[in-house]
Amino acid sequence: MQRTLTLVCMVTLLLFVQSQARAQEQEPFKKNLIGGNLSFFTSNAGGTEPNGGNYDGKTFAINATYIHYLKKNIGIGASVGYNHYATDYPDLNITTYKQNSYGFRPFIRFDIPLWQSRFSVFNDLGIGGDYSKSQSNYGTGEQINSNTWGLEAFYNPGLMFRLKSNISLQASFASLVSYSYRNRGHADAYSHSFGITPNHSFNDLQFGINFLF
């Protein structure tokens, strides 16, 4: 999978270099874009968690985006998102775990028209912040709440299809390349990560619809 993601990066960069010479204007220029996407998936496994327990997880995520184009294929924008994750652990001391996360991500977008077609590759480069609240319930009746906040810098490519002059569809993975910092509210409870996001799966694929005006 990592080789596939590397190939996507190389193709995207190649298209960016060639776009000015080969792209043609096919649709009227719209200065503003409002869009959104949502995803929902479930997961379950047996014997893979600490102490050999089973778990069943559910994730729901929604994201809204606004972009203002400064010129034909360059815009600035921001997205806000909400993510809910819940898991049951019937075989562990922790019986349930819930987390609600909120994020804000300003970015710059570079669109690359794919020659004379309605398709284009978009490239989002930006920074972001998130805040999450989690709750762990134990079989003893004890409940532990915790808060986590984080910062990140990211690169996120995707594919867009201009369905009509004012409507487009898009598909993208979660951030392909990113740096992130997480703090769980304690002096020693923080972490850093950087690199190409590994182990992408179908669950990371996001679909959206955009309205242009």
Side-chain angles (χ1 to χ4, degrees), residues 102-136:
Y102 310 86
F104 177 70
R105 307 171 93 201
F107 59 86
I108 300 175
R109 170 166 292 191
F110 302 94
D111 287 338
I112 303 172
L114 294 182
W115 303 289
Q116 299 185 25
S117 72
R118 291 176 176 263
F119 287 95
S120 63
V121 173
F122 65 83
N123 301 270
D124 293 342
L125 184 66
I127 58 176
D130 62 78
Y131 171 77
S132 63
K133 300 178 66 175
S134 61
Q135 179 185 95
S136 299

Side-chain angles (χ1 to χ4, degrees), residues 47-48 67 116 125 135 144 146 150 163 183 187 200 213:
T48 59
I67 299 173
Q116 299 185 25
L125 184 66
Q135 179 185 95
I144 295 180
S146 62
L163 187 64
N183 187 302
H200 272 302
F213 58 95

